[in-house]
Amino acid sequence: MPNMQLNKTPMPEQSPDTRNTNFTEVALGYTAEQAKSEAERCLGCKHKPCVKGCPVGVDIPAFITPLKSGDADTALEILRRTNALPAICGRVCPQETQCEELCVRGLKGEPVAIGRLERYAADSAVPKALSGAAPTGHRAAVIGTGPAGLTCAGVLAAAGVEVTMFEAFHTPGGVLIYGIPEFRLPKAVAGREIESLKDMGVKIETNMVVGRVLSIDDLFARGFGAVFIGVGAGLPTFMKVPGESLIGVYSANEFLTRINLMKAYEPDAETPAPVFKNAAVVGGGNVAMDAARCAKRLSGGNVTVVYRRGEAELPARKEEIHHAMEEGIVFKFLTAPVEILGGDDFRVSGMVCEEMELGEPDASGRRRPVPKPGSRFTVECDCVISAIGTSPNPLLRQTERGLEFDRWGCVVTNPDTGETSRPGVYAGGDISTGAATVIKAMGAGKIAAESMIAYLAGK
Amino acid sequence: MAVIANARRLNADVTRIDLDAPHIAAKALPGQFVVLRVDARGERIPLTIARADAQSGVVTVVVQRVGKSTAILSDMKTGDIILDVAGPLGTPTHLQSGRCAVVGGGLGCAIAWPIAAALKREGAEVHMIAGFRTKDIVILEEEMREDSSALHICTDDGSYGFKGFVTDKLKGLITGGVSFDRVYAIGPLVMMKFVSRLTKEYGIPTVVSMNPLMVDGTGMCGCCRVTVDGKVFFACVDGPDFDGHLVDFDETMRRNTAYAAFEKARMDEHICRLTGESRGAEHA
């Protein structure tokens, strides 16, 4: 008999007042009992609506079935057939707008907690060493070691392609390492997934800034038969308001990189952490939530999220918004920054904002916020974090003449195949689409890898 | 990872480090930089490439002891290993023939020197003006002499060469009738600011090499943003070279003090650990 309880089995988590003072993981994961009970909520629909919501097509009912009898090993094996990074996806995917949105149980009550079950399977199964297929003798280069590149490398390696990945930073993982904080995705979890790729024979060269130290021509000359570009959208956008050069104004990328990649919050790290009492974060996406929650943990002061649309329009994952609110982050909706104020010391002393109201729908179909006259007020803060989006990394656009880019700086890519304008060169993830999600990048990495396998075989 | 092929002191505070990094040496162009990380706790330190030899695979950087991270790097020895070296980064210096003045200040001479050498190879007439506080800290004199058409060493205290600032020397050359097509200034921000102010008066195009705080060095964080002609640029990818007449030097000087308190505390702690002396007590 399925478990007909209307709500998801709650996942234990650190209490808000404890967790907002530490960087360890907020959500603690299901116990075996809880996982079993939640798995029982899955009706195992024949037509599997949930699978249509998954960018990598995980066979969701198939992996949940063994969890009903507590068999995490089989569940992980099924997950791994379509998803190279289940421990990561279980934590960071926006399930509520993907698989879970289409779950039949969601028609009356809450959908099955697919993400939590995925995480449970990945965390508690005894990992089986993965091995690549028999070597085909083909070699491929993957530029960037974020979600798109890691997925692409995993699919290629599983098909017997010899893969070398190139990472510009000193640590692989891309946004999983520099962007998403420890309390949401522990570095050890991302590290484990990367290690399992290495076990399959994938090589990773760090500190290699492709475009500068190596060109795509160099990669072909080194004997790689195909190249995948997954360098992401790492170029931060600032708000273009007066005062942005004051000390204490950060892009979310800088703020998060100092904390996540450079571990500046640890006492013996040599990279300075931002020092402030109260912070204002501008933006409403996952990055804004990550920055706000890191700011709270660093300073213990007031942290205000300023977002120009309403609560319903917040693009962040529901769980992150909920967690942020629980942790004492204050939200100012329908509010936009006008100017950042500074003192004689050239440091931030406040941020002037104005209230907005929603007008006619804009090109994105969302109602455009327009300023309300006479509504200006000042948020007291000595730190401002701009989390209003990023654009594609510009380096390859500047250095690679043979590739076509669109006017937003994205590599022009066929979404069905990952092909770019240059034969043998494929792309996917944020460098092709602009800033999106981990799972969408993974989906694109997988599609490109399949095309690359066919291309290499036909050479 | 890179092995230090050779490390030697150039003066009490400045060390020349030759790194075995053939892949970087093969691609590096004048004006580009590398980012180093000494160990797993270390910060990412941007250092301009002083010399890159594709044949021997050696990349040379010159480091000045200013904080804990650079102090640790300065004390490294031949044969030691640097955990991470990434590069070459940044846009190479735009070189032009004609008559140029290359102005270096202190440690900046280590970067001005390869620019002078590259300009000379391009066929330019290169007047190298190298400024130091005093004679004891003069570095790379032979190298700069070799790679320029004329070398003018200046010391603030007059203990060696011309007595005065590089701006005094540059002004003297200009008013003395040397007509420069272009000036390259590399050194402390305040020096580049005053060189640019001088050359603006005379309408001489001037390139400066900006050295703001940086984290990643690949265009990802925006920590190194500088304002040029009212617009924001990232020194790590758009620069580090910019038009000296349009740069807001005061802003970068102020931004560079952002972590002064942290840096001083770390340096004091480091000295204390090395010598057993507390700087605080010394000053008390």
Side-chain angles (χ1 to χ4, degrees):
Chain A
M1 257 304 282
N3 171 359
M4 292 314 289
Q5 148 203 322
L6 288 182
N7 295 324
K8 289 178 179 179
T9 308
M11 180 157 55
E13 52 191 36
Q14 289 191 64
S15 80
D17 290 340
T18 306
R19 72 190 190 228
N20 67 13
T21 60
N22 70 48
F23 277 88
T24 53
E25 194 167 18
V26 167
L28 303 171
Y30 278 154
T31 61
E33 277 318 300
Q34 290 163 335
K36 240 166 143 170
S37 157
E38 184 61 23
E40 291 289 355
R41 292 188 64 232
C42 175
L43 304 177
C45 310
K46 285 274 173 298
H47 64 302
K48 304 178 185 179
C50 48
V51 178
K52 291 183 197 75
C54 177
V56 297
V58 166
D59 191 343
I60 293 161
F63 97 81
I64 292 180
T65 303
L67 290 177
K68 294 178 182 175
S69 57
D71 181 2
D73 293 357
T74 306
L76 180 61
E77 205 184 308
I78 294 166
L79 274 165
R80 284 238 185 248
R81 285 181 202 154
T82 43
N83 184 347
L85 313 170
I88 295 170
C89 291
R91 288 171 166 85
V92 306
C93 269
Q95 289 94 4
E96 72 265 17
T97 58
Q98 296 181 350
C99 53
E100 292 181 14
E101 186 177 34
L102 301 172
C103 175
V104 173
R105 295 297 306 266
L107 296 175
K108 191 179 168 208
E110 288 183 341
V112 174
I114 299 168
R116 294 174 185 180
L117 290 172
E118 180 180 31
R119 167 183 168 161
Y120 172 78
D123 285 2
S124 38
V126 179
K128 239 191 262 167
L130 299 170
S131 56
T136 57
H138 295 130
R139 296 174 64 211
V142 172
I143 310 169
T145 63
L150 290 172
T151 306
C152 180
V155 174
L156 290 169
V161 177
E162 189 190 323
V163 182
T164 303
M165 305 188 77
F166 296 93
E167 166 56 44
F169 282 172
H170 52 264
T171 308
V175 73
L176 306 172
I177 296 295
Y178 75 72
I180 303 178
E182 181 75 20
F183 57 80
R184 194 150 80 82
L185 175 64
K187 301 292 160 276
V189 171
R192 223 166 33 232
E193 303 275 29
I194 292 166
E195 282 309 309
S196 72
L197 284 182
K198 287 189 187 165
D199 291 343
M200 292 169 76
V202 173
K203 293 191 200 74
I204 302 181
E205 293 192 20
T206 52
N207 297 312
M208 295 297 276
V209 185
V210 174
R212 291 277 180 224
V213 72
L214 283 174
S215 63
I216 290 175
D217 284 341
D218 291 333
L219 293 173
F220 283 123
R222 276 174 64 164
F224 294 108
V227 175
F228 176 77
I229 302 171
V231 297
L235 184 75
T237 310
F238 285 90
M239 302 166 283
K240 300 199 165 50
V241 298
E244 283 191 324
S245 290
L246 293 165
I247 296 173
V249 182
Y250 296 89
S251 73
N253 267 6
E254 179 185 348
F255 191 81
L256 292 171
T257 297
R258 284 180 182 274
I259 293 166
N260 300 327
L261 178 70
M262 306 311 294
K263 292 266 183 284
Y265 62 87
E266 292 183 353
D268 60 343
E270 298 297 345
T271 302
V275 178
F276 58 91
K277 291 192 190 73
N278 303 310
V281 179
V282 182
N286 286 322
V287 175
M289 298 306 119
D290 287 345
R293 297 170 71 196
C294 282
K296 187 77 183 178
R297 283 159 172 76
L298 271 186
S299 76
N302 298 324
V303 177
T304 309
V305 168
V306 171
Y307 180 55
R308 64 196 189 115
R309 300 179 198 260
E311 181 168 0
E313 283 82 21
L314 276 173
R317 274 178 101 215
K318 290 278 172 299
E319 189 180 348
E320 311 312 327
I321 299 164
H322 173 69
H323 278 159
M325 287 177 171
E326 279 186 343
E327 288 167 16
I329 313 278
V330 176
F331 285 74
K332 296 261 185 223
F333 296 112
L334 288 165
T335 301
V338 176
E339 182 183 359
I340 303 164
L341 305 173
D344 292 339
D345 58 357
F346 204 65
R347 287 174 191 262
V348 173
S349 61
M351 183 167 77
V352 180
C353 295
E354 65 186 348
E355 291 175 18
M356 313 294 275
E357 45 201 358
L358 292 178
E360 295 300 307
D362 63 12
S364 72
R366 296 186 296 181
R367 291 174 66 194
R368 184 198 301 275
V370 287
K372 218 193 260 182
S375 66
R376 293 196 174 185
F377 66 99
T378 301
V379 176
E380 295 300 327
C381 61
D382 52 354
C383 174
V384 171
I385 303 163
S386 171
I388 56 169
T390 52
S391 43
N393 200 304
L395 183 57
L396 290 176
R397 188 171 71 226
Q398 290 162 8
T399 56
E400 290 295 335
R401 298 273 168 251
L403 271 183
E404 198 183 322
F405 291 84
D406 69 15
R407 63 193 175 97
W408 295 279
C410 298
V411 175
V412 175
T413 311
N414 178 340
D416 299 327
T417 61
E419 289 168 297
T420 69
S421 58
R422 184 168 174 182
V425 179
Y426 298 77
D430 287 3
I431 191 63
S432 299
T433 58
T437 59
V438 167
I439 188 72
K440 288 210 171 103
M442 290 177 56
K446 188 176 172 187
I447 287 169
E450 283 157 1
S451 305
M452 289 164 80
I453 292 163
Y455 173 81
L456 289 165
K459 273 185 80 165
Chain B
M1 209 178 77
V3 177
I4 298 180
N6 190 21
R8 68 188 157 95
R9 281 278 157 84
L10 299 182
N11 70 31
D13 283 332
V14 175
T15 304
R16 171 180 170 151
I17 296 175
D18 293 339
L19 293 166
D20 190 16
H23 59 296
I24 299 174
K27 288 289 173 98
L29 293 168
Q32 290 189 299
F33 63 98
V34 288
V35 166
L36 310 181
R37 208 168 65 115
V38 171
D39 58 39
R41 308 306 308 163
E43 59 181 329
R44 292 171 66 90
I45 310 169
L47 289 170
T48 304
I49 297 168
R51 194 162 182 276
D53 183 356
Q55 242 155 24
S56 62
V58 165
V59 170
T60 302
V61 293
V62 177
V63 56
Q64 182 161 25
R65 188 184 281 278
V66 282
K68 183 182 171 188
S69 296
T70 50
I72 290 172
L73 188 57
S74 301
D75 290 335
M76 292 182 87
K77 305 272 177 285
T78 303
D80 284 352
I81 286 170
I82 298 199
L83 182 62
D84 296 294
V85 183
L89 301 169
T91 304
T93 298
H94 180 67
L95 302 169
Q96 218 171 272
S97 56
R99 189 179 293 115
C100 314
V102 177
V103 184
L107 179 75
C109 292
I111 307 155
W113 156 50
I115 301 296
L119 286 165
K120 208 177 161 197
R121 278 197 301 275
E122 288 289 307
E125 179 185 326
V126 181
H127 293 252
M128 173 97 209
I129 302 172
F132 299 93
R133 268 196 338 271
T134 185
K135 185 183 179 190
D136 294 346
I137 59 168
V138 172
I139 56 170
L140 299 168
E141 182 177 355
E142 280 321 302
E143 288 86 345
M144 291 189 291
R145 196 177 303 285
E146 175 89 357
D147 288 323
S148 61
S149 318
L151 173 66
H152 311 275
I153 291 192
C154 312
T155 49
D156 297 359
D157 63 2
S159 53
Y160 192 55
F162 173 82
K163 180 181 191 307
F165 295 133
V166 290
T167 39
D168 301 328
K169 183 73 212 176
L170 179 61
K171 187 169 184 175
L173 290 173
I174 296 169
T175 54
V178 186
S179 72
F180 291 111
D181 299 309
R182 193 178 274 245
V183 171
Y184 295 83
I186 302 140
L189 289 163
V190 64
M191 181 207 91
M192 296 194 287
K193 173 181 166 177
F194 284 101
V195 167
S196 299
R197 186 177 283 182
L198 174 72
T199 57
K200 195 172 182 178
E201 267 175 49
Y202 292 96
I204 308 169
T206 297
V207 177
V208 296
S209 177
M210 296 298 282
N211 49 11
L213 297 181
M214 262 183 207
V215 183
D216 72 291
T218 65
M220 204 211 79
C221 84
C223 176
C224 67
R225 57 197 191 271
V226 293
T227 302
V228 183
D229 199 17
K231 290 194 275 294
V232 173
F233 292 89
F234 291 0
C236 67
V237 285
D238 301 317
D241 289 357
F242 292 100
D243 181 340
H245 295 164
L246 301 176
V247 166
D248 185 342
F249 290 102
D250 293 342
E251 179 186 285
T252 303
M253 281 187 251
R254 287 187 298 238
R255 283 184 61 79
N256 279 4
T257 65
Y259 299 100
F262 174 90
E263 286 155 4
K264 182 174 181 311
R266 278 297 156 95
M267 189 60 180
D268 287 353
E269 215 177 270
H270 180 63
I271 289 172
C272 182
R273 200 171 314 145
L274 285 182
T275 62
E277 287 168 28
S278 153
R279 253 199 181 177
E282 231 172 77
H283 285 251

